[in-house]
Amino acid sequence: MIQELTINKKINKINKKELILSEAAKLFKEKGFGGTSMRDLAEKVGMEAASMYNHIKSKDEILELICFKIANQYISQLQEIENTNQTFQEKLNAIIGLHVQLIIEDSASVSVANNDWKYLSEEKKNQYKQIRKSYEKSFANIIEKGMENGEFKTMNVSVALFTMLSSLRWIELWYKPSREITPQELENDLKTLLMNGLNS
Amino acid sequence: MIQELTINKKINKINKKELILSEAAKLFKEKGFGGTSMRDLAEKVGMEAASMYNHIKSKDEILELICFKIANQYISQLQEIENTNQTFQEKLNAIIGLHVQLIIEDSASVSVANNDWKYLSEEKKNQYKQIRKSYEKSFANIIEKGMENGEFKTMNVSVALFTMLSSLRWIELWYKPSREITPQELENDLKTLLMNGLNS
DNA sequence: CCTACCGATCGGTAGG
DNA sequence: CCTACCGATCGGTAGG
């Protein structure tokens, strides 16, 4: 009985922490990290600001947890794509699919990771930038190899890389399930546009 | 003599205001509107926080001036492009050039307009959103006409629009005069990539 | 999980 | 343009 109660409490605590994190992601996306107070957040969660400190260490910790959860998802999924035997075109298509998928799964957290990482503590910010850099390097490597290979046009690799990355970032700001376009159509149009251009 | 002194004072005041606005744009870009205090800004400008209120009305006014200055530049230049007799391909190329140019001219202010407009007062925010919407509508119209025309591939217009807009936005985060690419090369690669795609 | 409260910092004003 | 200062709000803690 006592054991059961302890377990329930633990589950409850985990759920409350998850609730805090998901409400925080939504608020940070809407109002920014600096524009969101712990009192704003407490109201959404349904408790007093002081009470949240039983579940989380600090406002900074919330930001860290959101940013690194997303960063790790991108990194691990990109590694899987890298390790396949696909052509570079196919790999790039898979990366486009990955971005669309992660955004549709949790657009608020992706938004926070993309926009509010700069409010991380100096130490965590450096860690985050390093992870992001390694992601960009792997991505750039696929583009570069595809250019050497003749699969892609030869141009400045950074321009190609960041054009693709940014094209995959606006989705998070724009996509809502209510749009009259399915995730699949979105993905297809993006692939067409980026790989073959707008000109007919 | 008295007249001359008054004029000099006025010029001085305008310059100080310009200085405040340009330093503010740099700080807002770096640390965000909420992350920048009037005391941070005062230090950069070289006076006490209280003294800045002789030149500006409020922190909010600084944000407004920056955002609407940029918005108006985009709007007026887009109108010029619309009123030419170019093909839709040429118009789109001109828009790409416009974005590159404005970013290179004043990347800090463009960055603030793009990222911190959400901290405008409710009234100004609505105004800003309306201007932006009208910009997007004109832009979308060019894309749509080009599709009907057969110049462009047929696809979801919003996807094409926002992919282009976002591709033109990362430049502000990335471009520094120190990059080993000229603005002209940047512009050319962007045009190639967006209009003809990465595939060779 | 709450009440009560802390020190710090914020944007901004008064008065000179 | 500065000193001195205001009320409000912030993230967070103590104690229960």
Side-chain angles (χ1 to χ4, degrees):
Chain A
M1 280 290 281
I2 288 174
Q3 211 180 9
E4 213 175 287
L5 264 174
T6 318
I7 290 171
N8 275 338
K9 247 189 209 162
K10 247 187 198 162
I11 289 174
N12 216 314
K13 208 171 168 184
I14 290 172
N15 285 341
K16 273 280 153 60
K17 187 166 184 175
E18 288 301 321
L19 178 65
I20 291 171
L21 290 177
S22 77
E23 291 299 327
K26 281 191 263 179
L27 277 175
F28 292 171
K29 176 177 183 177
E30 190 189 323
K31 311 207 280 178
F33 179 72
T36 303
S37 73
M38 292 302 273
R39 284 153 181 87
D40 289 339
L41 178 54
E43 200 186 338
K44 293 279 181 188
V45 173
M47 55 175 81
E48 291 300 315
S51 305
M52 288 191 297
Y53 289 86
N54 288 299
H55 301 97
I56 49 105
K57 287 198 199 93
S58 65
K59 192 186 180 189
D60 286 331
E61 194 209 28
I62 296 175
L63 183 61
E64 285 167 24
L65 289 171
I66 294 171
C67 289
F68 285 97
K69 180 185 70 184
I70 295 299
N72 289 332
Q73 282 177 4
Y74 274 98
I75 284 286
S76 71
Q77 300 236 39
L78 179 60
Q79 260 160 9
E80 277 182 36
I81 292 171
E82 273 187 304
N83 291 336
T84 61
N85 283 326
Q86 300 175 98
T87 64
F88 297 111
Q89 282 192 34
E90 286 167 339
K91 283 182 181 176
L92 230 45
N93 272 326
I95 292 177
I96 294 173
L98 161 64
H99 280 251
V100 172
Q101 173 213 321
L102 287 181
I103 286 168
I104 281 162
E105 268 174 30
D106 187 357
S107 88
S109 296
V110 170
S111 177
V112 172
N114 279 333
N115 298 305
D116 291 331
W117 61 269
K118 57 184 161 182
Y119 304 114
L120 288 168
S121 68
E122 210 58 38
E123 191 203 336
K124 294 289 172 182
K125 185 163 60 179
N126 287 334
Q127 261 182 52
Y128 184 84
K129 281 160 95 171
Q130 217 172 335
I131 294 179
R132 198 181 53 172
K133 204 158 220 168
S134 95
Y135 185 84
E136 288 170 359
K137 207 172 169 183
S138 300
F139 197 153
N141 193 46
I142 292 173
I143 294 173
E144 207 166 1
K145 288 272 170 58
M147 286 183 185
E148 290 169 6
N149 199 8
E151 286 185 47
F152 302 142
K153 290 189 184 75
T154 301
M155 63 173 73
N156 185 292
V157 176
S158 292
V159 173
L161 169 66
F162 289 113
T163 298
M164 305 208 75
L165 276 176
S166 62
S167 299
L168 295 166
R169 267 192 58 178
W170 70 266
I171 308 169
E172 143 238 316
L173 299 166
W174 176 82
Y175 185 77
K176 293 172 224 166
S178 61
R179 295 274 177 206
E180 75 306 337
I181 186 172
T182 64
Q184 197 48 248
E185 287 168 340
L186 172 61
E187 204 177 309
N188 287 340
D189 280 355
L190 276 169
K191 286 175 184 171
T192 303
L193 188 51
L194 291 172
M195 305 313 289
N196 300 317
L198 185 60
N199 282 342
S200 59
Chain B
M1 280 288 281
I2 287 175
Q3 211 179 9
E4 211 175 290
L5 264 174
T6 318
I7 291 173
N8 276 337
K9 249 190 210 163
K10 248 187 198 163
I11 289 175
N12 216 315
K13 209 171 169 185
I14 291 172
N15 285 341
K16 274 280 153 61
K17 188 167 183 175
E18 288 300 321
L19 179 64
I20 290 171
L21 290 177
S22 78
E23 291 299 327
K26 280 191 262 179
L27 278 176
F28 292 171
K29 176 177 182 177
E30 189 187 325
K31 313 207 279 178
F33 179 72
T36 303
S37 73
M38 293 301 275
R39 284 153 180 89
D40 289 340
L41 177 55
E43 200 187 336
K44 293 278 180 188
V45 173
M47 55 175 79
E48 292 300 315
S51 305
M52 288 192 297
Y53 289 87
N54 289 298
H55 301 97
I56 50 105
K57 287 198 200 94
S58 64
K59 192 186 179 189
D60 286 332
E61 194 207 28
I62 296 176
L63 183 61
E64 285 167 24
L65 289 170
I66 294 171
C67 289
F68 285 97
K69 181 185 69 183
I70 295 299
N72 289 331
Q73 282 180 2
Y74 274 98
I75 284 286
S76 71
Q77 300 236 39
L78 179 60
Q79 261 162 8
E80 277 183 36
I81 292 171
E82 273 186 303
N83 291 335
T84 62
N85 283 326
Q86 300 173 100
T87 64
F88 297 110
Q89 281 190 33
E90 286 166 339
K91 282 183 180 175
L92 230 45
N93 271 325
I95 293 177
I96 294 172
L98 162 64
H99 280 251
V100 172
Q101 174 213 321
L102 287 181
I103 286 167
I104 281 162
E105 267 174 32
D106 186 358
S107 88
S109 296
V110 171
S111 177
V112 172
N114 279 333
N115 298 305
D116 290 331
W117 61 269
K118 58 185 162 184
Y119 304 114
L120 288 167
S121 68
E122 210 58 37
E123 192 202 336
K124 294 289 174 181
K125 186 164 61 180
N126 288 333
Q127 261 183 52
Y128 184 84
K129 280 159 97 171
Q130 218 172 333
I131 295 179
R132 199 181 52 172
K133 205 159 218 167
S134 95
Y135 185 83
E136 288 170 359
K137 208 172 167 182
S138 301
F139 198 154
N141 193 46
I142 292 173
I143 294 173
E144 208 166 0
K145 288 271 170 58
M147 286 183 185
E148 290 169 5
N149 200 9
E151 286 186 47
F152 302 142
K153 290 188 185 76
T154 301
M155 62 174 74
N156 186 291
V157 176
S158 293
V159 173
L161 170 65
F162 289 113
T163 298
M164 306 207 75
L165 276 176
S166 61
S167 299
L168 296 166
R169 268 192 57 179
W170 69 267
I171 308 168
E172 142 239 315
L173 300 165
W174 175 79
Y175 184 78
K176 293 172 225 166
S178 60
R179 295 273 177 207
E180 75 305 337
I181 185 171
T182 66
Q184 197 48 247
E185 287 169 339
L186 172 61
E187 205 177 309
N188 287 339
D189 279 354
L190 275 169
K191 287 176 183 170
T192 303
L193 187 52
L194 291 172
M195 305 314 287
N196 300 317
L198 185 60
N199 282 342
S200 58

